Amino acid sequence: MVSPSYLFYHFGTSGLSVAVATGVTHPLDVLKVRLQMQLVGQRGPLTGMGKLFFQVLKNEGTRSMYLGLAPALTRSVLYGGLRLGLYEPSKNVCNWAFGSTNILVKIASGAFSGGIATALTNPVEVLKVRLQMNPNLRRGPIGELQRIISEEGIRALWKGVGPAMSRAAALTASQLATYDESKRILISRTPLEEGFPLHLIASMVAGTVSTFITAPMDMIKTRLMLQRESKEVGSYKTGFHCAYQVLLTEGPRGLYKGGLAIFARLGPQTTITFILCEKLRTLAGLNAI
């Protein structure tokens, strides 16, 4: 039997590590959302991340770089705890059922844990991106949540849940499977052992791979969550329809809008998450990931 204290430490170390990484990299997440909402339905020159950063600071102030931080941290504890916490149990179930923990099992376990975690926490993500795109909002997270429900209905809190689940499944599968497999290869083929150097290298590899795979899904998810029934933002029926419209009106490059910001955020976030999570697991007496 698994004790309550084990469950607390298992999911708590995951949630805390993701929350710390989210807090550190949140300004980059704000820039990413702004970049993804450039020239919706249009082709044209895009504002770079550096230029946008100084524009936001000049026009909206430093505080704007932390818009949506409260729901982001709330989501990180819940989503991060579930996303990382469900990976090992899923892998163990596959090992029990199929007698293997190969790379395909790791990918499937990551996809399952990421998809489930996102389905449960999608309303907090919708709230976060709405706050990030509205610097003049005065009602706060609770007030904005009430407004969304009253004006758009409770279903609006699950806008973009399909692409969000796909993105989270791809992110967790690529991130955790790459990290797990990179550690295994490095331990077997190099003198590295469990410790900071191993965790640093494996997490950097995982961050690079997961960014390349999930950037288009992240952009589509953001568009769906922010869309209102208006010509300015566009009306997308599904994730596939959104992707088709972006390709048609903005070109393939449109799918990677905010790509540099995603990499600049997801790379360090992945590294911080895994290094801190491994350290916390060691202190809690848990096995390494």
Side-chain angles (χ1 to χ4, degrees):
M1 294 291 292
V2 178
S3 67
S5 61
Y6 175 85
L7 290 175
F8 175 78
Y9 286 127
H10 178 71
F11 287 98
T13 53
S14 300
L16 181 58
S17 60
V18 174
V20 171
T22 298
V24 172
T25 60
H26 187 75
L28 292 166
D29 191 47
V30 174
L31 290 177
K32 178 209 71 174
V33 171
R34 299 292 183 90
L35 288 167
Q36 289 173 334
M37 294 305 293
Q38 290 187 92
L39 298 176
V40 175
Q42 307 173 51
R43 297 174 188 257
L46 301 174
T47 303
M49 185 171 69
K51 185 177 180 180
L52 179 64
F53 171 70
F54 288 111
Q55 284 180 355
V56 172
L57 284 182
K58 180 181 178 181
N59 298 329
E60 302 172 28
T62 307
R63 180 176 171 274
S64 64
M65 300 306 296
Y66 289 91
L67 290 170
L69 181 60
L73 292 177
T74 303
R75 177 182 178 272
S76 295
V77 173
L78 301 174
Y79 168 70
L82 289 170
R83 188 170 70 87
L84 299 185
L86 290 173
Y87 174 71
E88 273 193 291
S90 301
K91 193 171 68 169
N92 291 336
V93 168
C94 290
N95 187 35
W96 172 78
F98 306 111
S100 173
T101 55
N102 59 32
I103 185 64
L104 295 178
V105 167
K106 292 173 182 177
I107 291 172
S109 300
F112 171 78
S113 57
I116 292 297
T118 295
L120 296 174
T121 60
N122 197 74
V124 189
E125 175 72 0
V126 171
L127 182 61
K128 183 196 76 171
V129 296
R130 293 291 182 92
L131 291 172
Q132 288 176 337
M133 283 300 293
N134 290 281
N136 298 319
L137 205 62
R138 293 287 180 263
R139 60 176 68 94
I142 302 300
E144 178 64 9
L145 179 65
Q146 292 173 338
R147 188 203 64 77
I148 292 172
I149 294 173
S150 63
E151 294 183 11
E152 302 175 49
I154 198 161
R155 288 182 62 186
L157 295 175
W158 272 270
K159 275 185 177 179
V161 69
M165 287 181 68
S166 300
R167 184 246 181 200
L171 171 65
T172 311
S174 59
Q175 204 175 53
L176 278 165
T178 303
Y179 179 75
D180 199 348
E181 193 68 10
S182 296
K183 280 180 62 177
R184 185 190 67 80
I185 293 171
L186 288 168
I187 289 172
S188 64
R189 300 185 183 181
T190 71
L192 290 173
E193 298 179 352
E194 285 290 346
F196 178 77
L198 175 67
H199 301 157
L200 177 63
I201 295 171
S203 61
M204 289 175 67
V205 173
T208 302
V209 172
S210 58
T211 299
F212 179 77
I213 291 174
T214 61
M217 298 177 190
D218 191 282
M219 197 282 301
I220 292 169
K221 177 206 73 171
T222 300
R223 288 285 179 89
L224 286 171
M225 288 180 174
L226 285 172
Q227 79 167 347
R228 305 289 292 275
E229 301 303 321
S230 66
K231 295 179 181 179
E232 287 78 12
V233 180
S235 179
Y236 306 118
K237 298 180 178 67
T238 64
F240 288 110
H241 181 247
C242 178
Y244 173 74
Q245 289 295 323
V246 170
L247 285 171
L248 188 68
T249 59
E250 302 170 45
R253 188 184 171 198
L255 290 174
Y256 280 89
K257 280 182 178 178
L260 180 59
I262 294 174
F263 179 76
R265 169 183 170 266
L266 193 55
Q269 186 186 46
T270 302
T271 301
I272 295 169
T273 296
F274 282 126
I275 290 176
L276 183 56
C277 188
E278 295 278 24
K279 185 63 177 177
L280 291 174
R281 288 177 70 88
T282 300
L283 293 173
L286 303 176
N287 294 328
I289 296 174

